[in-house]
């Protein structure tokens, strides 16, 4: 149910992902921290089977039952304080009254953010070109995550996400992705052995 921690070193934001897959509808979900205290509780409102209430969290139903959520904090210090390292217990109740339990271990292990060599932040790159993203590899990395998002209007963005092996140090943007006159957010993330990811964000533009 738990998913790895992520941190964006460029904007100073950190978030923790969690989720549950279930064949039956979940109506309540609780997370117990290593001390046994309830760290988070999700409840389906009456008459709203497909919506979760989740204070301090972005939670939404998964397509085939269960849910996905992100716990967002303004920085790593706040995230570490709110969610200490250790074993977390999960309890979920279905609409049939069945109790489902699970557990996962959370670590605070994060590698330093990757050093992106190309492209440079704030640069201009020709539309409909296929530039290559380059970064300095980290010997301790388990892998890398690269994410591209183009467009400034929510809901109209073009997105591309890919996971790469530990020996990677570059990624070529595929033909046709970069459109003219757009702002592009590029994130390069280094994944630790525990699965936590530290991102570096680069922003560039394409001319009309």
């Amino acid at each position: 149910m738990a998913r790895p921690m992520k941190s964006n070193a460029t904007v100073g934001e950190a978030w923790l992902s969690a989720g549950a897959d279930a064949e039956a509808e979940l109506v309540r979900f609780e997370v117990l921290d290593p001390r046994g205290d309830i760290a988070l509780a999700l409840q389906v409102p009456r008459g709203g089977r497909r919506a979760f209430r989740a204070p301090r969290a972005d939670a939404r139903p998964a397509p085939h039952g269960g849910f996905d959520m992100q716990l967002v904090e303004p920085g790593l210090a706040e995230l570490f304080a709110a969610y200490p390292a250790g074993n977390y217990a999960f309890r979920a109740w279905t609409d049939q009254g069945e109790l489902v339990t699970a557990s996962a271990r959370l670590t605070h292990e994060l590698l330093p953010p990757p050093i992106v060599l190309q492209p440079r932040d704030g640069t201009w790159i020709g539309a409909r070109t296929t530039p290559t993203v380059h970064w300095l590899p980290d010997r301790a990395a388990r892998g890398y995550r690269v994410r591209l998002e183009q467009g400034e209007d929510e809901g109209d963005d073009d997105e591309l996400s890919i996971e790469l092996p530990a020996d990677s140090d570059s990624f070529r943007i595929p033909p046709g992705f970069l459109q003219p006159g757009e702002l592009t957010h590029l994130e390069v993330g280094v994944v630790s052995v525990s699965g936590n990811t530290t991102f570096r964000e680069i922003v560039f533009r394409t001319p009309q």
Side-chain angles (χ1 to χ4, degrees):
M1 290 186 178
R3 300 194 181 117
M5 182 182 300
K6 299 177 183 179
S7 172
N8 188 317
T10 304
V11 300
E13 187 177 75
W15 62 99
L16 178 65
S17 299
D21 298 322
E23 295 182 1
E25 293 285 346
L26 297 182
V27 296
R28 182 169 175 79
F29 178 79
E30 294 179 349
V31 180
L32 280 68
D33 67 18
R35 298 168 299 226
D37 299 328
I38 295 179
L40 181 73
L42 305 183
Q43 181 73 46
V44 178
R46 291 183 178 180
R49 289 172 57 83
R50 301 305 295 166
F52 284 103
R53 278 199 301 264
R56 298 173 61 209
D58 176 16
R60 60 180 60 86
H64 304 292
F67 68 92
D68 294 302
M69 70 176 176
Q70 288 190 346
L71 312 173
V72 182
E73 297 288 348
L76 281 177
E78 290 80 2
L79 187 69
F80 289 169
Y83 304 99
N87 293 317
Y88 283 73
F90 302 87
R91 302 186 301 205
W93 289 263
T94 71
D95 58 352
Q96 302 299 316
E98 180 184 3
L99 172 63
V100 181
T101 61
S103 64
R105 182 168 182 79
L106 173 67
T107 77
H108 289 173
E109 176 193 27
L110 284 165
L111 294 175
I115 298 174
V116 179
L117 303 175
Q118 291 291 339
R120 299 287 187 177
D121 190 51
T123 192
W124 290 79
I125 294 179
R128 300 189 178 92
T129 60
T130 58
T132 299
V133 180
H134 290 277
W135 61 88
L136 289 180
D138 190 323
R139 293 183 179 180
R142 193 184 78 179
Y144 295 91
R145 293 188 172 104
V146 178
R147 181 173 178 269
L148 285 158
E149 180 180 297
Q150 191 168 50
E152 299 180 86
D153 297 327
E154 187 174 353
D156 295 333
D157 297 341
D158 291 323
E159 296 186 10
L160 174 66
S161 296
I162 189 168
E163 296 192 6
L164 299 169
D167 59 353
S168 302
D169 62 2
S170 63
F171 170 72
R172 185 183 182 189
I173 299 176
F177 180 82
L178 296 180
Q179 298 300 309
E182 295 286 0
L183 184 72
T184 301
H185 292 265
L186 163 68
E187 293 181 345
V188 179
V190 58
V191 185
S192 70
V193 174
S194 64
N196 296 336
T197 307
T198 311
F199 286 96
R200 176 76 70 188
E201 182 176 337
I202 301 294
V203 178
F204 61 88
R205 289 186 176 273
T206 52
Q208 290 284 359

